Amino acid sequence: GCITAHRDAMKGLGKKALIVTGRTSAKKNGSQRDVTEALHALNIQWLLFDEIGENPDVETVVRAAELAKNEAADFIIGIGGGSPMDAAKAIAVLAANPQADAEILFTDPSAKALPVVEIPTTAGTGSEVTQYAVLTRHEKRTKNGIIQPVFAKVSYLDPQYMDTLSSKVTNNTAVDAMSHLVESYLSANSNTISEKIVAMGLSYW
C-alpha cells in the first residue's frame, strides 16, 4: 500500500501524468489502479499508454512521447518490469525536447527530461534506482542505452504486485536480481558498504 500511503510524493511533479506500462500486468496486479486512484486524490490528470512490450523499441517510445507532447504531460510514470520503466525514461527525454528527433537519445547526454516516477512489479531490473534505459534499434539490428542519466524522482516498491506473477517470471527475475548482486560484489568499484549491502541481499537466498 505504499503508493496510497505516500502519494503526496508525486504532488509537486505536475498537473498531468502519462502512465507508461504493458497491456495486462499492471491491471492484473492492481498497480495501475493504485496509481490512478492516487492521482485522482491529488487532483492530477492522467493518460495511459499501455503498448510497451518486451525490449521496447525506439518507434514505440516515439509514439508515446508524441502522446505526452500533444497532451502536455508534465511527468511520466513507468509501471512494470524493466521494459516499461526504461521506456518511461526515454519518453521523458523526448517529451522534454519536442523539436528533437529520436537520435537525441543517443547523441546528446545533456538533454533534459521530464520528471519520472517508477513502479517495479518484478524483481531484478533495478531500473527504478538507476539512470539507465535500453532500447531496441531495429534499423541498426541492436540495442543501445540512452545516454542521458535519467533517475526517477520517486520510486514505489510494493511486494504485493509480485503476487500475481507466474512461477517462471518470479524465478527469472529473482535470478536477475541475484546476478546484479554478484556483479556488484565483483566490481572493481565495490567498497565495504556496497559489499555489505550485497551480503544482505544474498542472505535471502
Side-chain angles (χ1 to χ4, degrees):
C2 64
I3 293 176
T4 301
H6 301 285
R7 64 193 180 206
D8 284 355
M10 295 188 286
K11 186 180 292 185
L13 299 181
K15 297 181 178 180
K16 183 181 287 189
L18 173 67
I19 299 172
V20 176
T21 189
R23 292 198 179 279
T24 59
S25 63
K27 299 175 180 67
K28 183 177 179 181
N29 62 34
S31 55
Q32 183 175 313
R33 180 193 64 243
D34 289 347
V35 168
T36 56
E37 289 180 353
L39 294 174
H40 280 304
L42 294 170
N43 199 28
I44 295 174
Q45 299 178 41
W46 59 272
L47 53 150
L48 177 67
F49 186 89
D50 60 357
E51 301 175 28
I52 305 297
E54 292 185 12
N55 303 307
D57 57 30
V58 171
E59 291 80 5
T60 302
V61 163
V62 168
R63 285 194 291 110
E66 287 299 317
L67 176 62
K69 288 184 284 188
N70 292 338
E71 295 291 335
D74 299 308
F75 64 105
I76 313 297
I77 302 175
I79 309 174
S83 294
M85 290 194 291
D86 282 10
K89 297 175 187 179
I91 293 163
V93 174
L94 294 179
N97 298 275
Q99 305 307 317
D101 62 25
E103 280 302 303
I104 194 176
L105 296 169
F106 312 106
T107 59
D108 185 359
S110 64
K112 62 183 179 178
L114 297 181
V116 174
V117 175
E118 300 283 36
I119 302 162
T121 58
T122 69
T125 79
S127 187
E128 73 277 5
V129 292
T130 70
Q131 72 270 41
Y132 306 114
V134 177
L135 299 178
T136 298
R137 304 178 74 182
H138 294 299
E139 80 284 1
K140 295 184 179 295
R141 299 174 62 86
T142 189
K143 294 193 290 186
N144 289 124
I146 68 173
I147 61 175
Q148 296 80 22
V150 182
F151 286 96
K153 298 295 184 183
V154 180
S155 292
Y156 294 102
L157 283 76
D158 194 328
Q160 73 173 336
Y161 300 142
M162 294 183 64
D163 290 347
T164 59
L165 291 179
S166 67
S167 59
K168 179 180 179 180
V169 174
T170 299
N171 291 337
N172 287 347
T173 58
V175 171
D176 191 7
M178 185 181 73
S179 69
H180 284 305
L181 291 169
V182 173
E183 182 181 38
S184 175
Y185 194 85
L186 297 176
S187 169
N189 295 320
S190 67
N191 56 55
T192 302
I193 295 175
S194 69
E195 290 172 0
K196 287 188 178 297
I197 293 171
V198 169
M200 289 170 59
L202 290 175
S203 68
Y204 292 105
W205 291 80

